[in-house]
Amino acid sequence: MTLQSFGVIGLAVMGENIALNVERNGFPIAVYNRSREKTDAFMKERAQGRNVKAGYTLEEFVGLLERPRKILVMVKAGKPVDAVIEQLKPLLDEGDIIIDGGNSLYEDTERRTRELEPQGFRFIGMGVSGGEEGALNGPSLMPGGTESSYQYLSPIFTKIAAQVDDGPCVAYCGPGGAGHYVKMVHNGIEYGDMQLIAEAYDLLKNAAGLDHNQLHEVFAQWNTTDELNSFLIEITADIFPYIDEETGLPLVDLIVDAAGQKGTGRWTAVDALNLGVPIPTIGAAVNARIMSSYKQERVAASKEIAGPSGKYEGDTKKFINMVRDALYCSKICSYAQGMALLSKASQEFNYNLNLGEMARIWKGGCIIRAGFLNKIKKAFDQNPSLPNLLLAPEFKQTILDRQDAWREVIITAAKLGIAVPAFSASLDYFDSYRREKLPQNLTQAQRDYFGAHTYERTDKEGTFHTAWVPIDEATVSNKSEAKMD
């Protein structure tokens, strides 16, 4: 019996599409799904006429694969992944490769690597981005694990990944959970991007009064620019003119303003706190989604709490351009935060990430694909030890040239009572990063006062503690009277 080159467990949308992608690129596949009905439907419909074999038990599925077996697990992250691995282990041989292609927490991937590798199995944790369309036609792939394991898979992954001007959108990220860590931060950046776009939409619609056709025109034009050309801007432009057949209204206006989240954005924020890396834009995006879920409370509060109202009264075209500039400056800050987090994690976990290469593999297939990533790749290629994107000459000059517009947009939003948490967090990040001195000297004095946490001084070396004895009120009063005399 001729054996298949690659196996896929899990035939939900992503699993089906990536299986068909692998087969289309010349690698015969075997598939398995816990539900026989799902497997039957796939074989009768989408797999018809293709080099696909189905296993209806895990034993049968494993028996269809050539050695070393290469098995991609596409099931829900968490306990389902562990369950599949435990069921597979008695059926596999030394050297067989298990690939977790779901949105697993990188710490779970680290644990699975520690457990599986000593038992003779190879394990790869791989981030997959691109959604349904990307999985079928070319996703961005972020594999991590032992590099020797990746070499077995490289011929397949380089074929099925999205293809851009400088190669396939896949690269070995590093050992252990590196691939899933990169995917987690990718998703955090995605949260930031989406929130920034939502805030730009809010300003253009509710401050400038643009209708759905005008919004379409603005975003379509923005998508032609070097700065904002991206998948997310493109689909945003597509969304605005879509009319609901039942009501004749723009469909976007009928969608409830409560956004969901699957955890990766929250994981990014939590891990940044653990590593001590500020990512306020991404954090603001996570909080914005959480706030949006308080729909009933917000509806009730809107009837009780009044705020400013009105429209932008200046030149509309000028305002649109200012919002564009504010969006781009904020986007630079969001990516700067994500790349800074990857840099710190790489040092902390010995991933040895190539940040320029990470930006490159996001250029195609994934949700945050954008022309802007060429500039990020260039910045890190020119200076691999660049501490922050804000210091890259092009990005630095871009913000210096546009910061007045950025600030004016945030002032306008505040005056009109329109929340722009991600725009504001980005500007706060920029203003904090560029300042030589911040007010945390007072914070350290307070910490030393109530907890003897000590402090350092600007005028001499060492660590110091002060017995902060409260000044007698009478002394303060006498000094005040003396000054008045």
Side-chain angles (χ1 to χ4, degrees):
M1 181 180 70
T2 303
L3 297 176
Q4 307 298 87
S5 302
F6 194 81
V8 177
I9 294 177
L11 292 175
V13 172
M14 289 292 288
E16 276 195 6
N17 283 345
I18 206 163
L20 293 174
N21 185 352
V22 171
E23 190 277 338
R24 186 182 68 249
N25 279 284
F27 303 96
I29 62 167
V31 297
Y32 170 79
N33 194 78
R34 186 176 60 175
S35 164
R36 185 186 181 99
E37 291 75 18
K38 183 68 176 173
T39 307
D40 283 338
F42 177 67
M43 295 300 294
K44 290 177 183 177
E45 297 167 12
R46 302 187 72 190
Q48 191 66 240
R50 298 176 181 271
N51 195 343
V52 182
K53 295 179 181 178
Y56 288 94
T57 65
L58 278 177
E59 291 85 350
E60 183 182 0
F61 165 78
V62 169
L64 294 171
L65 295 169
E66 65 183 21
R67 296 182 184 176
R69 300 178 180 95
K70 298 173 281 292
I71 299 172
L72 175 63
V73 179
M74 296 294 290
V75 301
K76 187 176 180 181
K79 292 181 180 179
V81 176
D82 287 324
V84 169
I85 290 173
E86 287 303 309
Q87 292 165 11
L88 277 174
K89 281 163 55 177
L91 309 175
L92 301 181
D93 296 309
E94 185 175 347
D96 287 348
I97 307 169
I98 301 172
I99 310 139
D100 174 14
N103 270 336
S104 290
L105 180 62
Y106 77 96
E107 291 171 328
D108 287 341
T109 304
E110 300 275 3
R111 170 180 55 80
R112 290 167 185 144
T113 301
R114 290 193 302 269
E115 293 171 353
L116 289 168
E117 295 281 342
Q119 298 177 45
F121 305 117
R122 303 173 188 266
F123 185 69
I124 291 286
M126 182 170 71
V128 179
S129 179
E132 180 179 354
E133 186 271 338
L136 181 62
N137 297 313
S140 174
L141 301 175
M142 295 152 261
T146 55
E147 191 165 7
S148 59
S149 300
Y150 172 70
Q151 296 308 320
Y152 279 101
L153 302 166
S154 179
I156 298 175
F157 289 169
T158 53
K159 286 280 190 180
I160 69 171
Q163 307 294 316
V164 293
D165 57 350
D166 49 6
C169 292
V170 58
Y172 172 68
C173 294
H180 277 136
Y181 197 98
V182 171
K183 177 56 162 55
M184 179 186 76
V185 175
H186 164 286
N187 284 22
I189 292 171
E190 179 185 311
Y191 271 54
D193 252 1
M194 294 176 73
Q195 178 62 26
L196 290 169
I197 291 170
E199 291 175 18
Y201 152 68
D202 198 4
L203 287 164
L204 296 179
K205 177 181 174 65
N206 295 307
L210 272 59
D211 64 24
H212 66 285
N213 287 320
Q214 292 169 316
L215 287 165
H216 164 72
E217 292 171 4
V218 167
F219 277 85
Q221 193 280 322
W222 285 356
N223 196 47
T224 66
T225 65
D226 289 339
E227 296 89 350
L228 295 177
N229 168 253
S230 66
F231 173 71
L232 284 171
I233 293 289
E234 177 186 349
I235 67 170
T236 302
D238 291 344
I239 285 168
F240 290 125
Y242 196 96
I243 302 300
D244 175 57
E245 293 182 359
E246 293 182 22
T247 63
L249 298 172
L251 180 57
V252 68
D253 293 341
L254 300 173
I255 296 174
V256 175
D257 57 322
Q261 57 172 322
K262 292 186 176 180
T264 46
R266 185 177 70 252
W267 294 347
T268 307
V270 169
D271 209 69
L273 287 172
N274 289 336
L275 292 179
V277 179
I279 57 166
T281 307
I282 296 170
V286 175
N287 286 333
R289 292 199 189 188
I290 295 170
M291 177 63 80
S292 77
S293 70
Y294 285 70
K295 177 63 176 177
Q296 292 183 337
E297 285 189 41
R298 290 189 290 110
V299 170
S302 70
K303 299 171 183 177
E304 300 286 338
I305 306 173
S309 61
K311 300 288 184 181
Y312 178 73
E313 296 180 355
D315 182 286
T316 301
K317 185 175 181 180
K318 179 181 177 182
F319 185 69
I320 291 170
N321 290 336
M322 289 195 300
V323 172
R324 177 201 62 207
D325 289 347
L327 175 58
Y328 187 46
C329 290
S330 298
K331 182 185 180 80
I332 292 171
C333 288
S334 182
Y335 278 73
Q337 294 161 36
M339 300 311 279
L341 178 56
L342 284 179
S343 179
K344 182 62 178 291
S346 183
Q347 297 168 27
E348 189 76 14
F349 305 132
N350 297 313
Y351 289 156
N352 195 29
L353 294 174
N354 182 327
L355 297 184
E357 187 68 355
M358 296 306 99
R360 188 195 69 78
I361 67 173
W362 292 342
K363 285 170 55 177
C366 70
I367 303 303
I368 64 171
R369 61 185 183 266
F372 163 75
L373 287 159
N374 280 312
K375 298 180 180 181
I376 297 179
K377 180 182 184 300
K378 180 180 176 182
F380 284 110
D381 286 349
Q382 290 177 341
N383 183 4
S385 60
L386 183 70
N388 193 291
L389 276 179
L390 296 180
L391 298 176
E394 180 172 347
F395 293 127
K396 177 178 68 176
Q397 193 59 48
T398 292
I399 291 184
L400 292 177
D401 292 342
R402 304 181 188 213
Q403 65 172 314
D404 288 346
W406 190 11
R407 297 178 192 281
E408 188 62 33
V409 165
I410 292 173
I411 290 169
T412 300
K415 287 181 176 179
L416 296 177
I418 296 174
V420 285
F423 274 25
S424 300
S426 294
L427 181 59
D428 289 344
Y429 180 79
F430 171 72
D431 280 337
S432 295
Y433 191 75
R434 69 174 181 81
R435 288 184 64 191
E436 179 183 357
K437 292 185 178 180
L438 293 171
Q440 273 61 51
N441 55 321
L442 176 59
T443 303
Q444 278 302 99
Q446 291 170 328
R447 295 179 72 239
D448 190 58
Y449 189 115
F450 64 69
H453 291 288
T454 73
Y455 56 87
E456 296 176 351
R457 292 177 60 115
T458 61
D459 58 346
K460 52 186 173 181
E461 296 294 324
T463 301
F464 301 88
H465 166 61
T466 294
W468 299 86
V469 179
I471 298 175
D472 183 74
E473 290 184 9
T475 304
V476 173
S477 178
N478 290 338
K479 286 184 178 180
S480 297
E481 289 174 5
K483 287 181 180 180
M484 290 175 66
D485 291 343

